[in-house]
Amino acid sequence: MLKKVLFFCFCIFFTSTANAEIKEFTNSFDNMKCIYSLSEKTKVQFPKFFIFRKLIRPENTTYYISIKNNNDVSKMLSNFEDIKIKIDDGILYSCPTTISTLSDLTTQATILLDDKIINSFANTQKITFQIPVFMERSSIIESYYHIELPQPVLAEWKQVIAME
Protein backbone atom coordinates (compact mmCIF):
# COMPACT_ATOMS: atom_id res chain seq x y z
CA MET A 1 0.00 0.00 0.00
CA LEU A 2 2.82 2.41 0.90
CA LYS A 3 4.47 1.72 -2.46
CA LYS A 4 1.25 2.60 -4.28
CA VAL A 5 0.91 5.87 -2.37
CA LEU A 6 4.54 6.81 -3.06
CA PHE A 7 4.14 5.91 -6.73
CA PHE A 8 0.96 8.02 -6.95
CA CYS A 9 2.70 11.00 -5.28
CA PHE A 10 5.67 10.65 -7.65
CA CYS A 11 3.36 10.62 -10.69
CA ILE A 12 1.54 13.76 -9.52
CA PHE A 13 4.82 15.56 -8.82
CA PHE A 14 6.34 14.58 -12.15
CA THR A 15 3.35 15.56 -14.25
CA SER A 16 3.01 18.92 -12.51
CA THR A 17 6.65 19.87 -13.11
CA ALA A 18 7.20 18.51 -16.63
CA ASN A 19 5.96 21.52 -18.64
CA ALA A 20 8.73 21.96 -21.14
CA GLU A 21 11.48 20.04 -22.80
CA ILE A 22 15.10 20.93 -23.60
CA LYS A 23 16.56 19.80 -26.91
CA GLU A 24 19.79 20.57 -28.71
CA PHE A 25 21.37 20.00 -32.08
CA THR A 26 24.31 21.20 -34.17
CA ASN A 27 23.89 22.57 -37.67
CA SER A 28 26.66 20.88 -39.65
CA PHE A 29 26.52 23.55 -42.36
CA ASP A 30 27.94 26.33 -40.17
CA ASN A 31 28.64 24.47 -36.88
CA MET A 32 26.05 26.53 -35.05
CA LYS A 33 24.73 24.85 -31.91
CA CYS A 34 21.05 25.34 -31.08
CA ILE A 35 19.64 24.66 -27.61
CA TYR A 36 15.94 25.21 -27.06
CA SER A 37 13.08 24.69 -24.66
CA LEU A 38 9.64 23.94 -26.07
CA SER A 39 6.84 24.43 -23.56
CA GLU A 40 3.96 22.01 -23.41
CA LYS A 41 1.40 22.69 -26.12
CA THR A 42 -2.08 23.64 -25.02
CA LYS A 43 -5.30 23.10 -26.94
CA VAL A 44 -7.30 26.14 -25.90
CA GLN A 45 -5.08 28.49 -23.94
CA PHE A 46 -3.20 31.44 -25.44
CA PRO A 47 -0.43 31.10 -26.32
CA LYS A 48 -0.32 27.57 -27.67
CA PHE A 49 3.35 27.27 -26.71
CA PHE A 50 6.63 29.13 -26.12
CA ILE A 51 9.97 28.23 -27.67
CA PHE A 52 13.05 29.64 -25.96
CA ARG A 53 16.01 29.28 -28.31
CA LYS A 54 19.74 29.79 -27.78
CA LEU A 55 21.92 29.87 -30.90
CA ILE A 56 25.64 29.46 -30.24
CA ARG A 57 27.92 30.58 -33.08
CA PRO A 58 31.69 31.03 -32.96
CA GLU A 59 31.26 34.81 -33.15
CA ASN A 60 28.28 35.26 -30.80
CA THR A 61 25.34 33.76 -28.94
CA THR A 62 21.78 34.92 -29.58
CA TYR A 63 18.52 34.22 -27.77
CA TYR A 64 14.96 34.21 -29.12
CA ILE A 65 11.49 33.53 -27.80
CA SER A 66 8.79 32.37 -30.20
CA ILE A 67 5.16 32.55 -29.17
CA LYS A 68 2.65 30.52 -31.17
CA ASN A 69 -1.04 31.42 -31.29
CA ASN A 70 -3.54 28.64 -31.92
CA ASN A 71 -6.71 30.69 -32.02
CA ASP A 72 -7.99 31.45 -35.52
CA VAL A 73 -10.76 33.89 -34.58
CA SER A 74 -9.43 36.12 -31.80
CA LYS A 75 -6.19 37.20 -30.19
CA MET A 76 -4.39 37.42 -33.51
CA LEU A 77 -0.89 38.73 -32.87
CA SER A 78 -0.48 42.38 -33.80
CA ASN A 79 2.51 43.82 -35.64
CA PHE A 80 1.79 47.41 -34.60
CA GLU A 81 4.11 47.33 -31.61
CA ASP A 82 6.71 45.15 -29.92
CA ILE A 83 6.11 42.59 -27.20
CA LYS A 84 7.10 43.79 -23.75
CA ILE A 85 8.62 41.71 -20.95
CA LYS A 86 8.35 42.66 -17.29
CA ILE A 87 10.85 41.12 -14.86
CA ASP A 88 9.70 40.61 -11.24
CA ASP A 89 6.96 43.25 -11.60
CA GLY A 90 9.64 45.91 -12.00
CA ILE A 91 12.03 46.16 -14.94
CA LEU A 92 10.28 46.53 -18.30
CA TYR A 93 11.85 45.66 -21.65
CA SER A 94 10.49 46.22 -25.14
CA CYS A 95 11.83 43.54 -27.47
CA PRO A 96 12.20 43.69 -31.26
CA THR A 97 9.32 41.54 -32.51
CA THR A 98 8.72 39.79 -35.82
CA ILE A 99 5.24 38.50 -36.61
CA SER A 100 5.14 35.70 -39.15
CA THR A 101 2.00 34.28 -40.70
CA LEU A 102 2.33 30.52 -40.93
CA SER A 103 -1.02 30.08 -42.69
CA ASP A 104 -4.18 32.10 -43.14
CA LEU A 105 -5.34 31.46 -39.58
CA THR A 106 -2.30 30.99 -37.32
CA THR A 107 0.47 33.37 -36.42
CA GLN A 108 3.71 33.29 -34.52
CA ALA A 109 5.69 36.10 -32.92
CA THR A 110 9.44 35.89 -32.41
CA ILE A 111 11.34 38.28 -30.18
CA LEU A 112 15.08 38.84 -30.02
CA LEU A 113 16.52 39.11 -26.50
CA ASP A 114 19.58 41.22 -25.80
CA ASP A 115 22.29 40.40 -23.23
CA LYS A 116 20.76 42.78 -20.68
CA ILE A 117 17.49 40.81 -20.67
CA ILE A 118 19.26 37.44 -20.57
CA ASN A 119 21.40 38.55 -17.63
CA SER A 120 18.27 39.62 -15.74
CA PHE A 121 16.72 36.15 -16.23
CA ALA A 122 19.33 34.55 -13.95
CA ASN A 123 17.89 35.96 -10.72
CA THR A 124 14.30 36.56 -11.71
CA GLN A 125 11.36 34.85 -10.04
CA LYS A 126 8.64 36.09 -12.38
CA ILE A 127 8.42 36.97 -16.08
CA THR A 128 5.27 38.55 -17.49
CA PHE A 129 4.64 39.19 -21.19
CA GLN A 130 2.48 41.94 -22.65
CA ILE A 131 1.53 40.72 -26.11
CA PRO A 132 -0.29 43.09 -28.48
CA VAL A 133 -3.23 41.31 -30.14
CA PHE A 134 -6.24 42.05 -32.28
CA MET A 135 -9.27 40.99 -30.34
CA GLU A 136 -11.06 39.65 -33.43
CA ARG A 137 -9.83 38.45 -36.77
CA SER A 138 -11.23 41.40 -38.71
CA SER A 139 -10.58 44.02 -36.02
CA ILE A 140 -8.37 47.05 -36.32
CA ILE A 141 -8.62 47.61 -32.57
CA GLU A 142 -5.61 46.41 -30.70
CA SER A 143 -5.54 45.20 -27.12
CA TYR A 144 -3.05 43.36 -24.92
CA TYR A 145 -2.81 39.89 -23.57
CA HIS A 146 -0.82 39.51 -20.34
CA ILE A 147 0.65 36.14 -19.52
CA GLU A 148 2.91 35.06 -16.68
CA LEU A 149 5.46 32.43 -17.63
CA PRO A 150 4.93 29.23 -15.58
CA GLN A 151 7.70 28.61 -13.03
CA PRO A 152 8.75 25.19 -14.46
CA VAL A 153 9.18 26.75 -17.91
CA LEU A 154 11.22 29.63 -16.43
CA ALA A 155 13.44 27.06 -14.68
CA GLU A 156 14.06 25.31 -18.01
CA TRP A 157 14.90 28.62 -19.70
CA LYS A 158 17.51 29.23 -17.01
CA GLN A 159 18.95 25.77 -17.75
CA VAL A 160 19.12 26.59 -21.47
CA ILE A 161 20.97 29.84 -20.69
CA ALA A 162 23.51 27.92 -18.57
CA MET A 163 24.12 25.21 -21.20
CA GLU A 164 27.06 25.41 -23.61
Side-chain angles (χ1 to χ4, degrees), residues 85-140:
I85 298 175
K86 189 178 278 189
I87 306 293
D88 291 329
D89 293 325
I91 304 170
L92 185 65
Y93 297 101
S94 182
C95 303
T97 305
T98 303
I99 305 293
S100 61
T101 302
L102 301 176
S103 73
D104 291 341
L105 301 176
T106 60
T107 57
Q108 178 173 307
T110 301
I111 56 178
L112 174 64
L113 304 173
D114 63 24
D115 291 338
K116 193 166 146 182
I117 297 171
I118 291 300
N119 293 337
S120 70
F121 278 13
N123 298 318
T124 191
Q125 299 301 312
K126 180 179 175 183
I127 295 177
T128 307
F129 292 90
Q130 177 179 281
I131 304 168
V133 295
F134 294 115
M135 295 313 291
E136 296 178 12
R137 187 171 168 185
S138 61
S139 176
I140 59 169

Side-chain angles (χ1 to χ4, degrees), residues 57-75:
R57 297 180 184 92
E59 63 275 5
N60 66 1
T61 299
T62 53
Y63 296 86
Y64 300 91
I65 297 174
S66 293
I67 302 166
K68 174 77 171 72
N69 184 6
N70 67 335
N71 193 328
D72 61 354
V73 178
S74 64
K75 298 186 180 97

Side-chain angles (χ1 to χ4, degrees), residues 46 75-76 78 80-84 129-135 141-147:
F46 177 81
K75 298 186 180 97
M76 299 297 291
S78 168
F80 288 152
E81 65 182 277
D82 290 336
I83 291 174
K84 293 180 177 77
F129 292 90
Q130 177 179 281
I131 304 168
V133 295
F134 294 115
M135 295 313 291
I141 300 172
E142 186 179 49
S143 185
Y144 300 102
Y145 194 75
H146 296 92
I147 185 163

